[in-house]
């Protein structure tokens, strides 16, 4: 894992956007794995600004999002589909046929997970997977557990994730209790991984990434086994780490 300590959230967002913009310049039909949440918001703004300035063209780019609540309708303002359109897709020229997000309103979560897995597997492969990290070490919605799933699947969210995500809802009771998420295998099969970590509240989990072991109780620890991971981490999040 390559750790890049950033001055603050804005610096992290700019550096992350530069990495993605460089990739798209080299490979205009790049396949991006995308995330929601606070961590990538600034990066999406930076990419939208580059697009508005004519510095980047997304017309051939394809995207797969990491996850979606289950069950939720796309039009629900709390859905990840809504978040992505509001914060990114509506601001750049990615063709809607090139966008895929697990369908949170599918009747059958198992079938929808299989559709999503098959589509990723049939693609030319995710070039860069953008990730945030949960306070409990989750990536996507792969929650700490005795075993982790390799492929897209539906999960029960942990109390800690429901609590963390309740900041976007009126109360924790309104947070959906399930989600559809890429599995660890699909995340690990991306050619490159870009993990964004920002803020004091992530300092404890960030520190575990420098330990020399992997455990299903910290799903992000599996990223240590990937050959091409860049961690953009701001000073607050890195405050408990000793990076050599
Ligand atoms: C979002 C996702 C989650 C978040 C994580 C961190 O699509 O898969 O794993 O990346 O919960 O969330 P923030 O960035 O809001 O702290």
């Amino acid at each position: 894992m390559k750790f890049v300590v950033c001055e603050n959230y804005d610096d992290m967002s700019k550096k992350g956007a530069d990495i993605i913009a460089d990739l798209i310049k080299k490979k205009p039909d790049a396949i991006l794995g995308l995330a929601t949440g606070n961590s990538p918001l600034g990066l999406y703004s930076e990419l939208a600004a580059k697009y508005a300035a004519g510095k980047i063209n997304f017309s051939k780019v394809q995207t797969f999002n990491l996850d979606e609540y289950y069950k939720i309708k796309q039009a629900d303002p709390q859905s990840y589909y809504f978040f992505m359109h509001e914060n990114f897709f509506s601001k750049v020229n990615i063709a809607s046929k090139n966008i895929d997000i697990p369908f949170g309103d599918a009747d059958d979560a198992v079938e929808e997970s299989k559709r999503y897995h098959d589509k990723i597997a049939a693609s030319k492969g995710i070039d860069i997977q953008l990730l945030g990290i949960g306070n409990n070490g989750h990536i996507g919605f792969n929650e700490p557990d005795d075993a982790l799933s390799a492929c897209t699947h539906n999960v029960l969210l942990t109390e800690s994730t429901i609590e963390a995500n309740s900041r976007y809802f009126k109360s924790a009771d309104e947070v959906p209790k399930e989600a559809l998420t890429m599995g660890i295998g699909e995340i690990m099969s991306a050619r490159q991984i870009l993990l964004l970590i920002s803020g004091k509240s992530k300092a404890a989990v960030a520190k575990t990434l420098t330990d020399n072991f992997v455990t299903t109780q910290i799903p992000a620890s599996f990223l240590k086994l990937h050959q091409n991971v860049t961690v953009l981490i701001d000073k607050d999040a890195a405050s408990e780490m000793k990076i050599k």
Side-chain angles (χ1 to χ4, degrees), residues 70 108-110 113 141 149 151-156 178-181:
Y70 188 79
D108 186 327
V110 174
S113 299
F141 274 129
S149 300
C151 304
T152 306
H153 59 291
N154 65 319
V155 280
L156 278 178
E178 290 182 55
L180 300 172
T181 181

Side-chain angles (χ1 to χ4, degrees), residues 117-130:
H117 169 74
D118 289 349
K119 193 164 168 187
I120 295 171
S123 77
K124 289 184 183 139
I126 293 174
D127 290 295
I128 191 163
Q129 177 65 56
L130 189 55

